[in-house]
Amino acid sequence: MAHTELEDFLILRDLDEPISEAELDAAAEQSGETLRTLRAEGVGITWVDSEVMTNDEGQVTGTFCHYRAEDEDAVREHAERAGLPATRVSRRGSPLDGE
């Protein structure tokens, strides 16, 4: 397997309908299984972290996910196989300095 330099990608996953924390946990498990499968096939991709978006009732409305991957296609392939939305996929820029 060739070692490709991984780049940082940010993925917005907007959900059409809110889901529960239990459904989010199931989606996260499926995501992890899909990542392991892709890596076994030689695709360079790894999950870094995710932020969860919720509505006023505490239901999950989407996530912002940070992945390191060989290219955008790897990120989109992961989303498709895992059955996850990939509303927007962008390369991660330099972080801003905050307060």
Side-chain angles (χ1 to χ4, degrees):
M1 175 173 88
H3 290 285
T4 304
E5 184 67 29
L6 300 184
E7 298 180 72
D8 289 284
F9 289 90
L10 299 177
I11 302 96
L12 169 62
R13 300 191 194 285
D14 246 339
L15 300 176
D16 293 332
E17 296 290 329
I19 62 173
S20 68
E21 290 286 338
E23 289 170 308
L24 179 64
D25 289 344
E29 182 62 33
Q30 180 62 41
S31 174
E33 289 175 16
T34 303
L35 285 170
R36 289 186 287 279
T37 299
L38 285 168
R39 285 195 295 264
E41 294 172 6
V43 177
I45 187 168
T46 186
W47 172 77
V48 177
D49 62 16
S50 295
E51 296 288 336
V52 177
M53 299 180 291
T54 61
N55 61 17
D56 290 343
E57 290 78 43
Q59 296 170 305
V60 177
T61 59
T63 59
F64 282 105
C65 300
H66 178 188
Y67 282 75
R68 294 191 43 78
E70 59 187 48
D71 56 26
E72 183 176 330
D73 288 342
V75 173
R76 292 197 179 277
E77 177 73 13
H78 167 263
E80 183 177 317
R81 288 199 201 181
L84 302 171
T87 310
R88 181 170 176 183
V89 177
S90 300
R91 292 187 194 292
R92 182 175 182 251
S94 298
L96 297 174
D97 289 329
E99 291 186 44

